[in-house]
Amino acid sequence: MNELFFLLHREFVYLRYYFELQLRQIFWYWIFGMAIGSFISVFAKDRIHRLFAGMKEKKWGVSGIIPACLLGIASPLCMYGTIPIAASFHREGMREDWLASFMTASILLNPQLIIYSAALGRTALTVRIVTCFLCGCAAGFLVFLFYRKKEFFNFNGFKEKASRDTHPDLLIRYLLNFGRNIKATGLYFLFGILLSAIFQRYVPQDFMIKAFGGNEAWGILMAATIGVPLYACGGGTIPLLQSWLMEGMSLGSAAAFMITGPATKITNLGALKIVFGIRRFLLYLAFVMIFSLLAGLLTSALLTSVFV
């Protein structure tokens, strides 16, 4: 009995050590990401959306997917916030290829997640920003190419939600938004750190290197696949990615995971199925998996050519 207690206590000490180490490494990135995201949501969100809405008066053609994608990345909204605002843009006559680019980029990346991802290092952060931007542009271009003369989206039943940032005092408005962000992501963040501690303690480094450390398509495809069930919140997956990269995961595999994770987050898929319809929903899933695989392979190839 004493031996069992000693073993359990030892494992608890190890897990606490890894948990506290990971928490110290990433906590301030999370807090700073919350602060920046809340600032943009309170003081800049409406301006970003007005800029996008104003694009419909421009005659940029397919090249408009680029600013649409950049504005999608700048938008602080999550997917459930993005779809209602996209529905209002659609009703106002926004081009569907621009809308596809804006929505895809907004789902994949936002200012908070950019700050979180800085904890992964400069190279991983650059890979995330570039691949998400290219994914948004690719989505817009494909809608332009194949749905130029027919509707791609079905926003029936989606209405723009009333803003919760309405307090007359700007400081209190900001603090309320910041508190909501902490409440929405805090448990996911702590759970991600706990999972990271468990991986570091019990998953051998050799396994990570063999599974995700090479440049082979199989490892990248596996990383893209596990992004589907594991991704729950951007803040929650950063600790996992950080520990996986330390254990030997290649940046190509990480790039694939960072695309499929937010793009196929379980809580998002129901709403996306309604917006797309079953046929286009399946096309969306195929696009995400193929793009993530190509992004991972290209990332690995480019980094190998640079550092070898």
Side-chain angles (χ1 to χ4, degrees):
M1 191 70 170
N2 288 336
E3 184 177 348
L4 176 61
F5 176 80
F6 172 77
L7 290 174
L8 291 174
H9 182 264
R10 185 188 67 181
E11 294 307 309
F12 172 78
V13 170
Y14 275 120
L15 287 174
R16 187 178 69 180
Y17 167 77
Y18 286 121
F19 183 91
E20 291 177 351
L21 179 65
Q22 191 82 355
L23 184 63
R24 286 195 299 269
Q25 289 175 339
I26 204 169
F27 177 77
W28 292 110
Y29 289 100
W30 177 61
I31 288 294
F32 189 53
M34 292 284 102
I36 293 296
S38 291
F39 182 87
I40 293 173
S41 183
V42 171
F43 299 105
K45 177 184 67 179
D46 290 341
R47 178 170 175 78
I48 291 169
H49 294 161
R50 282 197 301 270
L51 286 172
F52 183 57
M55 283 179 54
K56 69 178 185 293
E57 307 299 332
K58 310 293 184 181
K59 296 182 179 180
W60 291 339
V62 70
S63 64
I65 64 174
I66 295 174
C69 186
L70 292 173
L71 289 170
I73 291 173
S75 174
L77 294 178
C78 65
M79 192 280 295
Y80 274 102
T82 296
I83 287 182
I85 192 72
S88 68
F89 292 146
H90 187 262
R91 286 191 292 270
E92 293 169 6
M94 180 65 67
R95 285 177 56 123
E96 293 211 338
D97 51 347
W98 296 0
L99 199 55
S101 183
F102 176 86
M103 282 184 61
T104 303
S106 184
I107 289 169
L108 292 176
L109 200 56
N110 57 49
Q112 299 100 304
L113 194 51
I114 290 174
I115 300 298
Y116 299 157
S117 301
L120 303 176
R122 186 182 304 171
T123 304
L125 174 62
T126 302
V127 166
R128 178 160 221 165
I129 293 172
V130 171
T131 54
C132 289
F133 170 75
L134 292 177
C135 188
C137 290
F141 182 73
L142 288 174
V143 169
F144 168 78
L145 202 61
F146 295 105
Y147 284 86
R148 197 182 319 178
K149 297 181 180 179
K150 50 186 176 179
E151 285 198 347
F152 184 77
F153 297 105
N154 175 19
F155 287 111
N156 292 335
F158 287 96
K159 296 181 179 179
E160 187 176 352
K161 297 179 180 178
S163 175
R164 299 173 67 184
D165 299 316
T166 57
H167 197 283
D169 188 302
L170 290 179
L171 178 60
I172 295 178
R173 187 187 303 177
Y174 172 78
L175 292 175
L176 288 172
N177 187 285
F178 183 76
R180 288 196 300 270
N181 277 339
I182 294 289
K183 183 178 180 180
T185 63
L187 287 178
Y188 292 113
F189 174 70
L190 293 174
F191 184 64
I193 292 178
L194 178 61
L195 282 180
S196 172
I198 293 171
F199 267 91
Q200 287 180 288
R201 175 59 181 157
Y202 298 113
V203 178
Q205 186 176 18
D206 289 347
F207 172 81
M208 293 300 296
I209 294 174
K210 289 178 181 177
F212 307 113
N215 299 328
E216 296 85 358
W218 175 251
I220 294 172
L221 179 61
M222 285 294 293
T225 303
I226 65 171
V228 177
L230 276 184
Y231 199 98
C233 170
T237 53
I238 295 301
L240 279 173
L241 276 170
Q242 187 184 59
S243 65
W244 290 346
L245 288 168
M246 291 174 60
E247 292 292 319
M249 177 185 246
S250 72
L251 274 172
S253 295
F257 180 91
M258 290 187 289
I259 293 291
T260 59
T264 61
K265 191 165 73 169
I266 298 298
T267 54
N268 291 352
L269 293 182
L272 289 174
K273 184 180 177 182
I274 295 172
V275 170
F276 293 143
I278 185 62
R279 181 173 177 274
R280 292 185 294 274
F281 176 71
L282 294 175
L283 288 174
Y284 168 79
L285 293 179
F287 163 73
V288 168
M289 294 303 296
I290 292 170
F291 185 90
S292 65
L293 179 60
L294 292 176
L297 291 171
L298 183 60
T299 297
S300 289
L302 288 175
L303 291 177
T304 299
S305 65
V306 169
F307 293 110
V308 173

